[in-house]
C-alpha cells in the first residue's frame, strides 16, 4: 500500500531514503515525503505525484542530516494532496511515517482536538503523531510515549518515528503491516520491504506482530507485544541486488515476463530429484500433515486467486479430493463450513496481503494445518503458516503480476504431487509430471519467441474499449488472468468467461468492436471450444486464438491464429499464460500507459 523507509547513520541519509522510496514506489505513488533531523530541527519536504517530484523538491532544497524517515503514499484517508502526504508532524517536535489504516482514528481525533491539537491533514496517521506528542507533553519518556500510543491504535500499522530531543534514535513499531529492520555497520534502517534497503545492507530482521524497536547507529533493541525485550534472528538476503534492477528492458514487467524460464527453474530446484518430489521442501512435519489431508481450501486475492483456481482443476483431477477456492476478502467475513482434514492453502506473492492474512488468522485453529505458497521469505504468511513453499521468483516490481503467477502454478503443481502421493497417485504418474515440469523452462522460452507476432497483433486492441477472454478447463482461470492483465495495465475493459457459458449471455455483446481472445490448447476440449468459436464468428466477432494445434484451427476472415508451442497437457495453463502477458504488455505500450505502475493500483495491498 504505502512504503516507508528510515535511517539512522553517521552519514547523510536523504539519498539513501530517496533511493529506498524509488524501490518502494510499487507500493504506492500518489505522493511522497521525507523528514530529516538537520542538527537543529526536523525539516520536511513533501510533494504530490511520484517519488521523482520529491526528488525534484529535494534537489532545490536539500535535506542534510543523518536521521530521517520517508514515505511513498497510496491514498486511503484523504486525497493525494501535499497536506496529506507523510511524514506527518506534531508541531515541530515529532515526525512519523505510517503504512496501514488506523480504524479508530475518528474517536482519537475528537479526543485530541479536545486537548487543543490542530490537525492539518485528512489522514488517519496524523492522530498517531499527536497521540505521541500528548504523552511527551505530559512528561512521558519517548519510548514509553510511542509504546503507550500504539497500544491505543486499532487497525494495521507499520510506523517510523523521529523526535527532536532524541536525534540519535529511530523508533518503529508494527502490527498488521510489514516492516523490516536493515542491519548495517554503524548505521541501521527500517523499511516496508527489504528491496528498499538493498543498496545499503543485505542483513535483515523481520519484526513480529506487535514488535516495537529502537534503533541507534550501533544498537537495535526490540520488544515484543508484551513489552518484553526480545532477540530476533538476522537473515541474509538471498537474491542478488540485480534482481531488483530493470537491466536492458524498457519495463520491469517485460523483464519479469522474460525471467520466467529462469525463475520456474528456481522454484523446482531442490524440490524434485530422480523423478520424485522432495516433500521436505514444504517444511518440517509436512509428510505427517499431508497424510491426514482430506480436503483443500485455497484462499488468495487477485492474480494469486487465479493460480488457486487452476490448482483446483489439478487437485481434484490428480489427487481426487475436494478443493475449494475463494477470494480472501469474502472468505474472511462469512461463516465457512469446512470438513475435517482441511488443509488451508494460501497463495500470495507478497505474503502480506491483508485479506489473505486475516483469512489465515481467522481459520487457523479450525483446520488441520495451514500451508502457504509464497514468494517472500520471512513474510507474515510464511511465518504464521504451519508449512510453506517458497516460489523463488525473486523480487517482482511490476504491479501487474507475471512471474509470480507462473511460479505459483509450479508451486501448486508440486503441492498437487505431494497430496497425490497420499491418495493413490502412482509413482509413474508422479514421474511423468516431474518429467513434464523439467521441460517447462524450455517451453516457456519457446512461448517467449512468440513476442514479435504478439506485438504485431496488439495493434488490433489499442483502439478497442472492451474485450472477451475465453477458455475451458484449467485454461479458464488462465483466460481470467489474461483479462485481468489487460484491464490492469491498458485500462481496456476485459471480461473472461468459460467458453461454454458464451451462449448464456456474453454472446449478446459480440460484434466487430469486441475482440475475443481464446486459449485453445490441443486437448480433449478442443472440439467443444471450436464450436464456441464458431458461435463468435457467426456474430461477426473478431477472434484471436492462441492455439496448440494450428493445423486444426485455420486463420480466416476475422480469425487470427497464433501457434503456441506444443506442451504436455499438465503444463498448458502455465505456458499459455505467457502470450496473454505479452499481449497485455504490448497493448499497454501502444496505448502509452504507465506499464509498471498502473493508475489506482498497488503491488502489495496490506490494508483492507
Ligand atoms: C494486488 C496486486 C496483484 C496481486 C494481489 C494479491 O492487487 O496488484 O498483482 O495479485 O494484490 O497479492 P499477493 O501478494 O497476495 O499475491
Amino acid at each position: 500500500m504505502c512504503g516507508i523507509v528510515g535511517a539512522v547513520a553517521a552519514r547523510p541519509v536523504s539519498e539513501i531514503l530517496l533511493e529506498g522510496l524509488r524501490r518502494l514506489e510499487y507500493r504506492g505513488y500518489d505522493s511522497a515525503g521525507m523528514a530529516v533531523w538537520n542538527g537543529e530541527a526536523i525539516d520536511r519536504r513533501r510533494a504530490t505525484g511520484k517519488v521523482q517530484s520529491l526528488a525534484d523538491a529535494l534537489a532545490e532544497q536539500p535535506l542534510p542530516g543523518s536521521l530521517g524517515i520517508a514515505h511513498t503514499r497510496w491514498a486511503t484517508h484523504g486525497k493525494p494532496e501535499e497536506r496529506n502526504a507523510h511524514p506527518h508532524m506534531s508541531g515541530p517536535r515529532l515526525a512519523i511515517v505510517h503504512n496501514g489504516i488506523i480504524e479508530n482514528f475518528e474517536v482519537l481525533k475528537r479526543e485530541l482536538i479536545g486537548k487543543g491539537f490542530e490537525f492539518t491533514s485528512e489522514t488517519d496517521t496524523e492522530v498517531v503523531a499527536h497521540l505521541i506528542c500528548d504523552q511527551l507533553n505530559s512528561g512521558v519518556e519517548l519510548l514509553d510515549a510511542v509504546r503507550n500510543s500504539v497500544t491505543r491504535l486499532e487497525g494495521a500499522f507499520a510506523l517510523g518515528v523521529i523526535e527532536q530531543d532524541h536525534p540519535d534514535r529511530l523508533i518503529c513499531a508494527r502490527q498488521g503491516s510489514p516492516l523490516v529492520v536493515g542491519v548495517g555497520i554503524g548505521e541501521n534502517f527500517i523499511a516496508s520491504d527489504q528491496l528498499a534497503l538493498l543498496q545499503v545492507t543485505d542483513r535483515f530482521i523481520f519484526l513480529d506482530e506487535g514488535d516495537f524497536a529502537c534503533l541507534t547507529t550501533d544498537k537495535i533493541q526490540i520488544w515484543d507485544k508484551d513489552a518484553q525485550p526480545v532477540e530476533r534472528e538476522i537473515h541474509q538476503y538471498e537474491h542478488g541486488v540485480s534482481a531488483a534492477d530493470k537491466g536492458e528492458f524498457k519495463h520491469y514487467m517485460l523483464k519479469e515476463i522474460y525471467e520466467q524460464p529462469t525463475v520456474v527453474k528456481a522454484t523446482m530446484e531442490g524440490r524434485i530429484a530422480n523423478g520424485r518430489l522432495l516433500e521436505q521442501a514444504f517444511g518440517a512435519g509436512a509428510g505427517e500433515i499431508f497424510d491426514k489431508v482430506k480436503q483443500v481450501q485455497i484462499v488468495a486475492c487477485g492474480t494469486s486467486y487465479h493460480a488457486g483456481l487452476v490448482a483446483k482443476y489439478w487437485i481434484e483431477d490428480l489427487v481426487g479430493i475436494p478443493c475449494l477456492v475463494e477470494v480472501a476478502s469474502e472468505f474472511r467475513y462469512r461463516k465457512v463450513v469446512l470438513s475435517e482434514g482441511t488443509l488451508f492453502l494460501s497463495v500470495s506473492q507478497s505474503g502480506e496481503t491483508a485479506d489473505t492474512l486475516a483469512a489465515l488468522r481467522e481459520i487457523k485453529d479450525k483446520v488441520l494445518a495451514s500451508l502457504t505458497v509464497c514468494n517472500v521469505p520471512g513474510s507474515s504468511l510464511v511465518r504464521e503458516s504451519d508449512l510453506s513453499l517458497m516460489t523463488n521468483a525473486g523480487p517482482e516490481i511490476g504491479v501487474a503480476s507475471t512471474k509470480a503467477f507462473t511460479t505459483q502454478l509450479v508451486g501448486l503443481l508440486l503441492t498437487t504431487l505431494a497430496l497425490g502421493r497420499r491418495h493413490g497417485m502412482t509413482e509413474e504418474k508422479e514421474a511423468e509430471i516431474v518429467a513434464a515440469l523439467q521441460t517447462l523452462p524450455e517451453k516457456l522460452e519457446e512461448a517467449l519467441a512468440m513476442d514479435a507476432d504478439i506485438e504485431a497483433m496488439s495493434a488490433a486492441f489499442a483502439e478497442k474499449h472492451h474485450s472477451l477472454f475465453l477458455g475451458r478447463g484449467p485454461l479458464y482461470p488462465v483466460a481470467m488472468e489474461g483479462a485481468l492483465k489487460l484491464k490492469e495495465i491498458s485500462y481496456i475493459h476485459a471480461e473472461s468467461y468459460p467458453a461454454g457459458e458464451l451462449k448464456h449471455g456474453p454472446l449478446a455483446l459480440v460484434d466487430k468492436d469486441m475482440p475475443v481472445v481464446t486459449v485453445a490448447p490441443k486437448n480433449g476440449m478442443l472440439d467443444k471450444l471450436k464450436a464456441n468459436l464458431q458461435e463468435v464468428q457467426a456474430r461477426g466477432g473478431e477472434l484471436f486464438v492462441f492455439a496448440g494445434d494450428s493445423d486444426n484451427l485455420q486463420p480466416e476472415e476475422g480469425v487470427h491464429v497464433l501457434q503456441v508451442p506444443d506442451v504436455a497437457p499438465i503444463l498448458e495453463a502455465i505456458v499459455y499464460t505467457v502470450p496473454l502477458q505479452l499481449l497485455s504488455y504490448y497493448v499497454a505500450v501502444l496505448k502509452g500507459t504507465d506499464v509498471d505502475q498502473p493508475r489506482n493500483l498497488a503491488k502489495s495491498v496490506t490494508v483492507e
Side-chain angles (χ1 to χ4, degrees):
M1 274 320 36
C2 303
I4 68 179
V5 57
V8 52
R11 55 175 165 157
V13 291
S14 80
E15 273 307 316
I16 297 172
L17 297 178
L18 199 58
E19 178 58 22
L21 290 186
R22 288 196 178 101
R23 290 164 182 246
L24 287 176
E25 205 166 21
Y26 71 89
R27 298 179 61 86
Y29 33 84
D30 56 42
S31 52
M34 186 185 294
V36 170
W37 166 254
N38 67 11
E40 285 173 7
I42 296 176
D43 201 0
R44 170 175 69 166
R45 305 278 176 273
R46 297 183 292 175
T48 53
K50 294 198 168 194
V51 171
Q52 188 52 43
S53 315
L54 176 67
D56 296 342
L58 286 166
E60 271 184 34
Q61 286 187 294
L63 278 179
S66 53
L67 170 73
I69 49 179
H71 186 273
T72 177
R73 181 166 185 253
W74 188 80
T76 55
H77 295 74
K79 297 189 196 76
E81 292 171 358
E82 191 173 323
R83 68 197 175 99
N84 291 326
H86 300 218
H88 288 286
M89 299 187 66
S90 188
R93 184 166 192 180
L94 174 123
I96 74 164
V97 284
H98 165 225
N99 169 31
I101 288 183
I102 310 297
E103 285 174 340
N104 59 337
F105 86 101
E106 277 163 328
V107 181
L108 296 171
K109 189 168 177 175
R110 277 197 293 276
E111 176 189 319
L112 289 159
I113 289 172
K115 288 185 171 180
F117 283 96
E118 272 182 37
F119 280 77
T120 56
S121 77
E122 298 165 310
T123 64
D124 51 341
T125 305
E126 198 180 350
V127 295
V128 189
H130 295 319
L131 266 182
I132 301 172
C133 204
D134 186 35
Q135 293 270 318
L136 293 172
N137 290 346
S138 47
V140 179
E141 196 276 331
L142 177 63
L143 277 181
D144 289 334
V146 179
R147 197 176 356 233
N148 295 344
S149 303
V150 297
T151 56
R152 298 202 55 201
L153 306 179
E154 287 166 20
F157 53 82
L159 292 170
V161 182
I162 59 172
E163 199 263 342
Q164 64 174 13
D165 295 335
H166 298 86
D168 59 338
R169 295 191 196 175
L170 171 60
I171 295 172
C172 64
R174 75 156 285 201
Q175 177 180 297
S177 297
L179 192 66
V180 297
V181 171
V183 184
I185 299 169
E187 53 189 14
N188 288 305
F189 311 92
I190 57 167
S192 304
D193 182 326
Q194 307 164 80
L195 278 185
L197 300 175
L198 288 180
Q199 84 276 24
V200 282
T201 184
D202 59 358
R203 295 188 305 145
F204 295 95
I205 297 172
F206 301 106
L207 294 180
D208 261 15
E209 281 296 276
D211 275 0
F212 173 86
C214 177
L215 281 58
T216 59
T217 49
D218 54 5
K219 205 158 159 197
I220 296 168
Q221 290 171 282
I222 305 175
W223 296 267
D224 66 11
K225 59 180 182 328
D226 302 319
Q228 295 305 309
V230 280
E231 293 280 327
R232 301 263 180 244
E233 200 185 333
I234 299 179
H235 299 260
Q236 191 82 25
Y237 185 76
E238 283 165 14
H239 300 285
V241 178
S242 65
D245 293 329
K246 219 181 320 186
E248 78 211 56
F249 292 93
K250 193 168 165 207
H251 296 100
Y252 281 111
M253 183 181 176
L254 190 61
K255 173 186 179 241
E256 289 160 3
I257 291 174
Y258 269 83
E259 274 173 359
Q260 291 177 112
T262 310
V263 293
V264 297
K265 214 188 276 173
T267 308
M268 292 187 268
E269 251 163 38
R271 277 90 187 259
I272 46 182
N274 303 323
R276 300 275 285 159
L277 165 82
L278 307 172
E279 67 188 12
Q280 298 86 328
F282 291 86
E288 278 168 39
I289 291 175
F290 290 149
D291 269 337
K292 300 187 194 123
V293 175
K294 297 199 181 103
Q295 170 174 286
V296 180
Q297 171 71 62
I298 299 180
V299 169
C301 301
T303 289
S304 302
Y305 167 66
H306 294 155
L309 288 174
V310 174
K312 176 184 169 71
Y313 285 89
W314 290 339
I315 291 172
E316 298 204 342
D317 181 19
L318 295 163
V319 186
I321 59 173
C323 176
L324 312 168
V325 192
E326 193 163 348
V327 287
S329 54
E330 286 300 313
F331 182 88
R332 66 179 284 197
Y333 285 120
R334 69 179 188 89
K335 185 178 168 206
V336 287
V337 182
L338 294 176
S339 51
E340 208 195 309
T342 297
L343 176 70
F344 178 88
L345 169 47
S346 62
V347 187
S348 176
Q349 189 284 126
S350 63
E352 300 292 349
T353 300
D355 285 323
T356 313
L357 198 50
L360 168 68
R361 289 176 182 160
E362 184 64 31
I363 207 74
K364 215 173 165 174
D365 300 333
K366 302 175 192 136
V367 290
L368 169 71
S370 52
L371 161 67
T372 188
V373 170
C374 184
N375 192 38
V376 180
S379 62
S380 301
L381 277 174
V382 171
R383 283 181 293 127
E384 296 184 31
S385 299
D386 301 312
L387 303 174
S388 57
L389 184 74
M390 303 317 302
T391 45
N392 294 346
E396 190 181 62
I397 311 290
V399 166
S401 190
T402 52
K403 62 174 180 171
F405 179 70
T406 41
T407 53
Q408 281 167 349
L409 290 178
V410 171
L412 289 165
L413 193 48
L414 297 178
T415 309
T416 306
L417 292 181
L419 293 171
R421 225 180 243 182
R422 262 100 191 154
H423 290 85
M425 185 188 285
T426 60
E427 278 189 25
E428 291 71 33
K429 185 74 190 169
E430 183 172 341
E432 178 195 317
I433 295 174
V434 167
L437 269 171
Q438 279 161 334
T439 67
L440 182 59
E442 175 196 324
K443 292 292 167 190
L444 291 173
E445 292 286 2
E446 289 175 29
L448 288 168
M450 300 169 71
D451 185 305
D453 292 339
I454 295 172
E455 184 176 7
M457 169 182 176
S458 63
F461 287 76
E463 300 302 319
K464 298 288 193 287
H465 299 289
H466 306 276
S467 58
L468 266 182
F469 282 68
L470 305 178
R472 292 191 84 124
L475 275 289
Y476 165 48
V478 169
M480 293 170 83
E481 175 58 12
L484 177 66
K485 285 288 89 80
L486 192 69
K487 283 186 256 220
E488 282 180 316
I489 61 169
S490 75
Y491 316 145
I492 293 175
H493 171 219
E495 263 196 274
S496 52
Y497 269 91
E501 272 291 294
L502 197 58
K503 53 188 161 304
H504 297 295
L507 207 49
L509 297 171
V510 171
D511 63 14
K512 62 177 181 16
D513 293 322
M514 172 77 101
V516 180
V517 179
T518 309
V519 271
K522 186 165 118 189
N523 60 23
M525 299 302 280
L526 186 59
D527 286 338
K528 302 255 174 249
L529 197 68
K530 279 171 72 182
N532 303 139
L533 298 186
Q534 273 155 17
E535 292 162 4
V536 172
Q537 222 182 334
R539 273 90 191 164
E542 193 166 12
L543 274 163
F544 296 85
V545 188
F546 292 100
D549 184 2
S550 49
D551 292 343
N552 214 343
L553 271 167
Q554 290 295 324
E556 51 188 287
E557 177 76 28
V559 183
H560 311 265
V561 180
L562 262 84
Q563 170 79 51
V564 182
D566 200 12
V567 291
I570 193 71
L571 301 184
E572 284 163 354
I574 310 176
V575 173
Y576 277 70
T577 296
V578 174
L580 299 188
Q581 294 169 341
L582 287 169
L583 177 65
S584 60
Y585 173 76
Y586 283 116
V587 175
V589 169
L590 267 185
K591 292 197 71 176
T593 58
D594 191 340
V595 172
D596 286 330
Q597 295 175 342
R599 69 186 183 201
N600 306 340
L601 300 180
K603 178 91 193 139
S604 184
V605 184
T606 54
V607 294
E608 257 193 276

